Amino acid sequence: MMASNSSCSPSLKERLSNLEGHLRPLAEKAVPLLVADSDPLQVWALVLACQRLGIPLFLANPRWGEREWSQALAGLGSAWRWRQGQLQGDPTSSTSPLGHWQRILPSADWPVIGIPTGGSSGQVRWAVHSWRTLSASARAHQQHFGVECVHSYCMLPLYHVSGLMQAVRSWLSNGQWIVWDWKRQQQAEAWDPPLPGSFLSLVPTQLQRLLLDARPRVLESLRQFQAILVGGGPTWPSLRQQARQLYLPLALTYGMTETASQVCTLLPQAFLQGSDSLGRPLPHARLEIRGEAGDPLPVQTVGSIHVWAESLALGYYPLAGEAEGLGKWQQQGLAPGDWGYLDSQGHLHWLGRADDLILTGGEKVMAAEVEGEIRASGWVEDVCVLGLPDQEWGQQLVAVAVPKVGIPLTADELEKHLKRHLTQQLSPFKHPKRWLWCSGIPRNAQGKVNRQQLRQWVAQQLGVAALGS
């Protein structure tokens, strides 16, 4: 059941009224609606309208190609979709593929909200949430930061959980939700000062680009936020160091689509005092580090991160099998495949994805750490580090990078510069042995690397047998 917001703007009220009239036929049939629109306010109005009418809603990236759209429509079994301001569908369509979910879910979890996510294979699927799970995350944010009203400045799309949750937090707390255009803000010489006690959410690459430009009046505005939430990927030491030197109130977060964003967040005061952890769990969440046998591990011991939270998704859609069954995470917790440890203060330290671990010469290397330092050089647009089978070392590191446009260096010169940079930042065993250059790294619609495709390309470039996925 959705809470109302007394501060709903006239523009939003008008949109809601119009949308409810258009969408009412779907409500009578409980047919899901697939939404892809580049206007954040329109997407938010659709989220609210579908909640009011009891329509299951699935968010989509408006830049999806025909392959992704075909997958999405086939998975939902519905011809109804909202695409760039237009409601499209077959009025005779009345079959709901979610009928089983509606029958067994409690009323507090209906209608569902699907947020797109995906593994490295590129297959379209959604983490299925409800207003209950999103509200649990939003209220935990308020408690963690000790605020009653959340003003959010949004530069992330609403089909990403980080963008959607900014709207939810402000709506539930009667705060202001201000939408900024990232490209315009990135190029601006100055930003408008934020409202007192405001929050900004960025991914690490956005923060890096702002700090590379380091415009004084932009930095002045950034310092005025109560917290700059940074998630969606790992930060790297030089990025954190620069942010501290500029006295930016970063709040490093750990969360994912399946948890409705943050389950751990470092408070800005701790960050500015030198902590590189991801902070303590929020009030609605509990974390545990487990070993290979599933046994809980003591503090300061690296293992697999397990999450229990009121904000955990109900499951994936489409369901991949019994292992991802409806409600399983809420009963048994979620093991997202991440490595890390808890310190003596209960702070989480994230080391990387389990499938990103590379064993070379008896040493363990997390690909995310190496990728972060390569990005920190400012000479590449994108990078992915893989482990290549090696008879002597077990695995050797291979870096696949996209050179930054406009850098007047040959591939050999760029490789030498990057090696010099890594020598200053990382131990020698963490340095890539091979460097490959390309025009773009294959990623799915959620920005995750399609590792299977990339490994096949690397194998072709190096003239070796196809690498394991």
Side-chain angles (χ1 to χ4, degrees), residues 127-259:
V128 181
H129 282 277
S130 67
W131 194 256
R132 177 189 63 79
T133 64
L134 301 184
S135 298
S137 175
R139 293 195 171 99
H141 172 94
Q142 288 177 263
Q143 295 171 32
H144 190 69
F145 283 96
V147 296
E148 292 186 5
C149 183
V150 178
H151 301 309
S152 299
Y153 286 74
C154 184
M155 294 192 288
L156 300 170
L158 267 67
Y159 59 82
H160 278 297
V161 69
S162 297
L164 178 64
M165 286 308 304
Q166 288 181 278
V168 174
R169 292 174 197 135
S170 294
W171 177 265
L172 287 175
S173 67
N174 289 319
Q176 296 295 313
W177 176 55
I178 298 98
V179 177
W180 278 352
D181 179 81
W182 161 243
K183 290 184 178 179
R184 186 178 298 119
Q185 295 300 121
Q186 184 185 0
Q187 296 168 1
E189 291 295 327
W191 289 8
D192 294 334
L195 294 169
S198 296
F199 294 82
L200 175 68
S201 290
L202 299 173
V203 296
T205 52
Q206 288 177 318
L207 178 62
Q208 179 193 23
R209 289 172 184 172
L210 291 175
L211 297 192
L212 283 173
D213 294 334
R215 295 185 173 99
R217 294 172 65 189
V218 172
L219 295 175
E220 181 182 348
S221 292
L222 287 172
R223 294 188 191 101
Q224 295 178 43
F225 283 96
Q226 174 158 340
I228 301 171
L229 304 172
V230 181
T235 59
W236 45 95
S238 56
L239 182 66
R240 297 192 296 268
Q241 181 181 3
Q242 186 180 4
R244 277 196 196 95
Q245 291 172 344
L246 294 169
Y247 208 74
L248 300 184
L250 297 196
L252 306 180
T253 72
Y254 176 75
M256 59 212 74
T257 308
E258 291 83 349
T259 62

Side-chain angles (χ1 to χ4, degrees), residues 38-92:
S38 54
D39 178 357
L41 186 59
Q42 186 74 359
V43 175
W44 181 236
L46 283 159
V47 171
L48 297 178
C50 285
Q51 283 295 302
R52 290 182 177 182
L53 295 172
I55 299 170
L57 174 142
F58 288 77
L59 297 170
N61 184 341
R63 295 185 179 180
W64 274 354
E66 289 307 314
R67 176 176 171 273
E68 287 100 343
W69 269 98
S70 298
Q71 287 180 5
L73 291 173
L76 286 174
S78 169
W80 286 100
R81 56 205 175 275
W82 181 281
R83 197 170 185 180
Q84 297 294 53
Q86 297 293 324
L87 180 62
Q88 305 166 354
D90 179 5
T92 64

Side-chain angles (χ1 to χ4, degrees), residues 286-451:
R286 177 172 65 89
L287 267 66
E288 205 172 73
I289 308 299
R290 293 189 171 185
E292 294 182 3
D295 52 316
L297 298 176
V299 297
Q300 303 292 149
T301 306
V302 175
S304 174
I305 300 172
H306 287 244
V307 181
W308 288 262
E310 297 172 27
S311 62
L312 276 174
L314 308 173
Y316 286 127
Y317 189 87
L319 293 173
E322 196 62 32
E324 294 171 348
L326 184 60
K328 182 180 179 68
W329 298 334
Q330 298 189 344
Q331 298 168 10
Q332 302 180 19
L334 172 68
D338 292 333
W339 277 46
Y341 65 91
L342 294 170
D343 64 23
S344 58
Q345 295 181 313
H347 288 204
L348 176 67
H349 295 256
W350 182 86
L351 299 180
R353 296 280 304 168
D355 53 10
D356 287 348
L357 179 65
I358 300 170
L359 300 175
T360 177
E363 301 282 1
K364 294 179 180 179
V365 179
M366 299 307 302
E369 180 185 16
V370 184
E371 291 166 355
E373 281 304 334
I374 294 173
R375 286 192 182 94
S377 70
W379 293 321
V380 301
E381 294 286 350
D382 200 2
V383 63
C384 181
V385 172
L386 302 172
L388 175 70
D390 184 89
Q391 290 184 349
E392 181 179 0
W393 299 101
Q395 289 179 297
Q396 63 170 293
L397 275 66
V398 179
V400 183
V402 180
K404 192 165 187 177
V405 176
I407 289 184
L409 298 174
T410 65
D412 287 342
E413 290 171 338
L414 182 54
E415 181 177 330
K416 289 178 181 177
H417 278 285
L418 288 168
K419 285 180 176 178
R420 234 180 350 255
H421 171 76
L422 292 182
T423 298
Q424 298 171 352
Q425 302 295 333
L426 298 175
S427 301
F429 68 85
K430 297 180 181 180
H431 297 188
K433 299 291 192 296
R434 306 290 294 270
W435 294 79
L436 295 175
W437 310 98
C438 63
S439 59
I441 290 174
R443 294 180 180 272
N444 66 12
Q446 285 69 54
K448 296 181 180 178
V449 176
N450 187 329
R451 291 183 176 275

